Amino acid sequence: RWIKFEEKVEDSGERWSAPHIPALPLHSLFQLRTCLQKGLMLLDLDAASFKEIIDKVLSEQPEEAELQPALKERLAALLLLQPRHQPTKSLLQLLAELGLSPCRGRRHSCPTRKTKGRSEPGAQLSKTPLKEQLRNRFKKKVPPGAEAAHVAVGEVEFLEKPFTAFIRLRHGVSLGSLAEVALPSRFLFILLGPPKMKAYHEVGRAMATLLTDELFQSVAWQAEHREDLIAGMEAFLDELIVLPPGKWDPSARIPPPSCLPSLHRRTAVDSPDQQPHSNGEMAGAGDGASPGHLHSGEELERTGRLFGGLLRDIRRKAPWYGSDFSDALHPQCISAVLYIYLATVTNAITFGGMLGDATANMQGVLESFLGTAFAGFIFCLFSGQPLTILSSTGPVLVFERLLFSFSQDHSLDYLEFRLWIGLWVAFFGVVLVATEASHLVRYFTRFTEEGFCALISLIFIYDSLKKMLSLADAFPINWQYRLDNVTSYSCTCNLRRLFNPILTCPTTTHLPPLFSMQYPPATLAGLSRTQCLDQGGHLLGTSCQYVPDVTLISFLLFGGTFLSCTALKRFRSSCYFPAGVRKLVSDFAVILAILAFCAIDAVLGLETPKLLVPSELKPTNPERGWIVFPFGANPWWVCLVSAVPAVLVTILIFMDQQITAVILNRREYKLQKGAGFHLDLLCVSLLMVVTSVTGLPWYVSATVISLAHMESLRKESETSAPGELPEFLGIREQRLTGLAVFILMGVSVFMAPVLKHIPMPVLYGVFLHMGVAALNSIQLLDRVRLLLVPAKHQPDLAYLRHVPLRRVHLFTVIQLLCLALLWVLKSTTAAIIFPVMV
């Protein structure tokens, strides 16, 4: 049988073989061409049943090849026999049959049982589908709208010369129990002849292979004469590639490739070597042109009118607004919401803590939570690309730190100064939208995109590792521990009171059994470490700073979460379990990994660092309120001077926002609803006003989290032929997942009792997975690997066929040097200009 690749029934007769590319003898194709030239051909035949088809075929025989009436009857009776099908059975069915058949495998030892609904040897073809056809699990592999083609070949003793017929029906007709699954049939090919010719089987395989070829299918559908069909076969032979005998094993089954050439490339005039070759489904979309470049798209064309690009974005996105909510009604979106929510919570806590340190808690974790929830919700509701996730970024954090230091040094009110800068930035942003400045995005090249994406991905990887390594300071490991010195390990509480002498008492330390000190009941004062510190005491002893196992288990949770996320994400393409189970596990990969390692942490019961969210709605710094007033604390001229740093922040916001937008709107993602560069920039600019007035952090598109959001919403074909990888259909474009994420962010304050059970190392492992996944999505990493691979072992990539290897390496080295320069720049106070450097 064929859908796209050939499958054979194994010699045991128990199962189908693995799908493979059919290897055809060359003479079988020539014999098939002869059959099509000389045999009967009926195009657009009107028939309602297989018996009617056979009757018309036998009656339409030319005079020189017409059969005797007796032979016609015998031939019709033979063709109308019920064929024997090999049903596709599930594992449970096979186990059930094995348990119910104790004599299975021993021939002639058990009586044959008749099964209702199954075909019997010698039975006539049924006019209606059998139960085994209707229940055949193989139908799940057949794409919707498919039609069947039947190839009947064999040796018949009563024929003296071959009988050949090719039939195309005018309409697809269900031919009863003829097909393995109940499908309408369109094409039939019959080749029967005397036993002296032994090539019937190979000619039948050649015909089936032709009918599964997409180009020949279109020819067969449109052919009006025999010559059209012969011309289609000649075109197939023109593309034929011959493998020399002795250089390969003809009995070997060639596995299907991971990517097949497109019809466009096959029909192109140039030779195959002159065509761009893709490296996988996703990369193939971006090899012909740089990924993400929308040079020819209307999104970046200038209209020459004020706000012309913005109005075009609104007109483009408005018809899709209703479907932006209905398209989210899929279980995959639940997984995306939970995944991105936890990533956004971790990011908000991280940046909120760093903002609090940089601004004396003028902006802290609570402000980060509220700002992320509000800005993200409004952006997802009104933006042009709602798959974008807003977040605070490193350059913004550096600017906040510099601005706070400048305000302190010159006795200025930080929040009021920041308010005027935010208002100027919003004004400049609206000006950029009005003048259609986003059309400059068309000049962003692969070099720019990959450099920016690589830098942000490396920052995620670096920060996750840095956070984990800092645990060794908070929960130090006792490297000096020796088993022989266990009797000397102790920790005591030294209490100094105003009128009392020093009281020394042992504390209850969190040591493993080897470290536990056995004290007489009379010496136990019952003071814990927390009680000791609360009473103004301090700890003395060799084991006071030792926290058992926390660092080790934290690293195990961190690494295990990362590896589990990666492995479960790849589970979709594994060979285990049915396709539906693999897809479900892959969609919920991150959530399953988080739940698994949260359970492991709960079972072990160690005091690993947990996710802590604010539980009260009040400013982190009690000296500030929720509204920042524009006048009163600073001199009047500050509102004018603020325009100078606002220009720098505007450039930073514009570059950060638009580079991320270009990466998210790559052609390879197959987005159907279009981009909204001008509308997105307007939303970010207007949000600057609200966040500045309320003293909340500033927000811009987060590259890595947005990429993770899109990857979690990948759509693939529900059905795929055996041996064929599921086809990437695009991204589930909708607004509901982003809205749900930021609504959950807003109510996180009330979910603190639940969230406090999630270990931070688990979330850092998710951060590492996001960074690595984003880094793997760019071509730069592939070219870096090429630096380490000898030429003879390098993969067959498109650019290696057309570009000298030394130029590829030169391009990669220059990119790496620029990336290193950006990393150094990021680590200094000049980090606020790094988007300009990109």
Side-chain angles (χ1 to χ4, degrees), residues 507-525:
T507 65
T508 56
T509 59
H510 301 285
L511 293 176
L514 286 176
F515 279 52
S516 299
M517 304 298 297
Q518 300 298 328
Y519 297 98
T523 64
L524 291 176

Side-chain angles (χ1 to χ4, degrees), residues 117-189:
R118 292 189 178 272
S119 59
E120 300 296 333
Q124 289 293 315
L125 188 73
S126 172
K127 295 182 179 180
T128 58
L130 301 175
K131 289 184 178 180
E132 63 185 45
Q133 291 176 275
L134 300 176
R135 297 176 180 175
N136 197 332
R137 298 173 62 250
F138 183 67
K139 191 171 183 179
K140 296 180 180 179
K141 295 290 185 180
V142 180
E147 294 179 327
H150 305 273
V151 178
V153 296
E155 301 174 2
V156 180
E157 295 181 354
F158 56 80
L159 289 179
E160 297 180 357
K161 55 185 177 181
F163 172 81
T164 307
F166 180 86
I167 304 103
R168 183 184 69 196
L169 301 177
R170 185 181 299 276
H171 304 288
V173 177
S174 177
L175 299 182
S177 59
L178 182 63
E180 181 182 354
V181 293
L183 288 175
S185 301
R186 178 75 64 165
F187 295 99
L188 296 96
F189 177 74

Side-chain angles (χ1 to χ4, degrees), residues 258-301:
S258 58
C259 180
L260 296 174
S262 64
L263 286 178
H264 173 74
R265 280 166 52 189
R266 289 185 59 190
T267 55
V269 177
D270 296 335
S271 63
D273 285 340
Q274 301 298 321
Q275 302 302 315
H277 288 69
S278 63
N279 180 30
E281 187 70 33
M282 292 289 290
D287 281 339
S290 297
H293 296 171
L294 302 171
H295 296 175
S296 59
E298 65 167 355
E299 293 96 337
L300 298 176
E301 292 180 359

Side-chain angles (χ1 to χ4, degrees), residues 15 28 112 114 133 146 176 191 227 232 237 260 263 363 502 533 563 587 723 744:
R15 69 183 187 95
S28 66
T112 303
K114 294 185 178 181
Q133 291 176 275
L191 174 59
E227 290 74 17
L237 291 173
L260 296 174
L263 286 178
Q363 298 177 75
I502 298 176
L533 297 178
L563 295 176
D587 288 341
L744 289 175

Side-chain angles (χ1 to χ4, degrees), residues 338 342 561 565 589-599 758 762-763 766:
L338 298 177
L342 292 175
T561 304
C565 289
V590 178
I591 303 304
L592 292 175
I594 292 175
L595 292 177
F597 284 91
C598 286
I758 302 178
V762 171
L763 298 182
V766 174

